Amino acid sequence: MIKRTLNDIAEMIQIENDLSPYGKKEIQGVSINSREITPGQLFIPFKGERTDGHQYVSDAIEKGAAAAFWQEDVPNPPTHLPIIIVKDTLTALQELARAYRNQLSIKVVGITGSNGKTTTKDMMANLLALKYKVQKTEGNYNNHIGLPLTILALEERTEVAVLEMGMSGKGEIDFLTKLARPDATIITNIGESHLQDLGSREGIAEAKLEIINGLKSDGLMVYMGDEPLLRNYFDSYEGQATVKTFGRTEQNDLYPVNIQQLDNGSKFQVNASEVEFTLPILGMHNVLNALSAMIVAQHFNVSFAEMEAGLVKVRLTNMRMEILQGQNGEKIINDAYNASPTSTQASIELLANLPGYKKKILVLGDMLELGADEERFHEEIGLSICAENIDAVFTYGRLGHLIAKGAKEVLSEDRVFAFDEKAPLIEELKKHVNDETIVLVKASRGMKLEEVVEGLQ
Ligand SMILES: CC(=O)N[C@H]1[C@@H](OP(=O)(O)OP(=O)(O)OC[C@H]2O[C@@H](n3ccc(=O)[nH]c3=O)[C@H](O)[C@@H]2O)O[C@H](CO)[C@@H](O)[C@@H]1O[C@H](C)C(=O)N[C@@H](C)C(=O)N[C@H](CCC(=O)N[C@@H](CCC[C@@H](N)C(=O)O)C(=O)O)C(=O)O
Ligand SMILES: Nc1ncnc2c1ncn2[C@@H]1O[C@H](COP(=O)(O)OP(=O)(O)OP(=O)(O)O)[C@@H](O)[C@H]1O
Ligand SMILES: C[C@@H](N)C(=O)N[C@H](C)C(=O)O
């Protein structure tokens, strides 16, 4: 984590404060939450939806914070305390992170895409940790606040930082990538996430492609080559970066062969090696996520034989294809972190192809932020369900009724159940599960469908 004096920090964010007598006081790390302060940190207050962090500056320092920022338009700064007056605390956080990143002799991998950023980040970190001291985005800290916090948590001796870059609007990735200045970048896919804000998949692709704006000129750009919106862009790309593709088809630089679906993951080989890889994470989409990380790992001189050891140890951030056990002996795939049409289709494909279960049940909730076509997207999900592979569908939420409507076109009505409340859904679902059943649970973050998973356990 960042360790600098207050004088250093004033210089790094280019402000002129008389910090005496505190100028030589050193901070260790940064926090935006006084409830989580650890000794020596710099506390950065934000005006939030529920309260203003400036109310907690004195409290933070009493709890051991070494110093705090204070936004100049907030009255009554506690001048008797070690504080740095700034024009805007968010900008100060971001510029401190930018300056710190530029002082570090570190390689950076930036990962974006509609789906799979967090998963790919976890896989990437595992592969690079075989050879390097690696730090990565924790959880989903991937935006204009989370990414700067992640950078400021980097140790001076860290060799590679794996940073997740999220967005829900144009210009957001451009800001993040120019701050992080990555040496390698990945675009996992182009789905429909945040379509409401971006207007079209073309708009989503344009926003994701901003990641190349911060890529080092001799850097590596890796993208999902089966996506026409990306391939069309790179077919006329004239930049100096090395461009590599991954995907299902042989048009890509790296693609999987001899894929075996296991009950807890996949075995596969790739076109560029004889090594057989085992990925203890379900789903073909996660094989693709692994391929993107493997291309970057190869760029960092990690061998395929070493990658085999790295992939077999991958453990994902929770609620992504998390395999759990229910009260009645059923297996549960908790994939409830988030959902869009692309990620939901990937999960339905996974469940349909999973060997070893007599009964397979889908529990699907609303997919949010999809814009004007949201109802069509949900009905199409229902229509896509294959009656031969899926035994029952339970839906939750207003838009879940549209999934049910589509599902009833392909499954008999007695195999489709739509609910507006979680408790009755859980009660009915328990009647349908036993030790030969597997249940997959998926919806957007805002639906909190993990509460259904908890109801089964
Ligand atoms: C600034 C902050 O901390 N926000 C979080 C806070 O929000 P809220 O406004 O409710 O804060 P409060 O009013 O409660 O408090 C104000 C501040 O005061 C501090 N404080 C309060 C009380 C106290 O006793 N002491 C205090 O110090 C407090 O800490 C505040 O700083 O709480 C919300 C609920 O927990 C958080 O959600 C909110 O976090 C915001 C959203 C945030 O951006 N956090 C980042 C660190 C982050 O990276 N969060 C990720 C999610 C990122 C994300 O959604 N990514 C998108 C893509 C990017 C979209 C982009 N357009 C965007 O807007 O994000 C994606 O799809 O992945 C995470 O948490 O997982
Ligand atoms: N390559 C992929 N293609 C389609 N769906 C995917 C892919 N990778 C992951 N998913 C699905 O997306 C869900 C979210 O995965 P993950 O958290 O890694 O993505 P993310 O991009 O970080 O998501 P978010 O933007 O919501 O934070 C997973 O539970 C999985 O269902
Ligand atoms: C908060 C934003 N990153 C997100 O995940 N939106 C989804 C669609 C949700 O809120 O469920």
Side-chain angles (χ1 to χ4, degrees), residues 32 34-35 46 49-51 140-143 168 172 194:
I32 62 172
S34 69
R35 295 158 292 193
F46 285 111
E49 289 175 17
R50 294 168 291 185
T51 184
N140 194 55
Y141 269 32
N142 66 14
N143 69 0
S168 64
E172 293 179 17
H194 308 302

Side-chain angles (χ1 to χ4, degrees), residues 140 142 167-168 194 337-339 366-369 443-447:
N140 194 55
N142 66 14
M167 69 92 200
S168 64
H194 308 302
Y337 172 73
N338 214 342
D366 295 3
M367 301 175 290
L368 305 178
E369 301 181 34
S444 264
R445 183 80 315 261
M447 303 306 286

Side-chain angles (χ1 to χ4, degrees), residues 274-295:
E274 295 296 316
V275 173
E276 182 176 70
F277 302 95
T278 301
L279 184 67
I281 311 292
L282 291 167
M284 177 66 191
H285 55 288
N286 281 313
V287 171
L288 296 178
N289 290 335
L291 293 184
S292 69
M294 291 165 75
I295 293 177

Side-chain angles (χ1 to χ4, degrees), residues 137-154:
T137 297
E138 294 305 329
N140 194 55
Y141 269 32
N142 66 14
N143 69 0
H144 57 298
I145 300 173
L147 181 134
L149 287 172
T150 301
I151 289 176
L152 291 167
L154 297 175

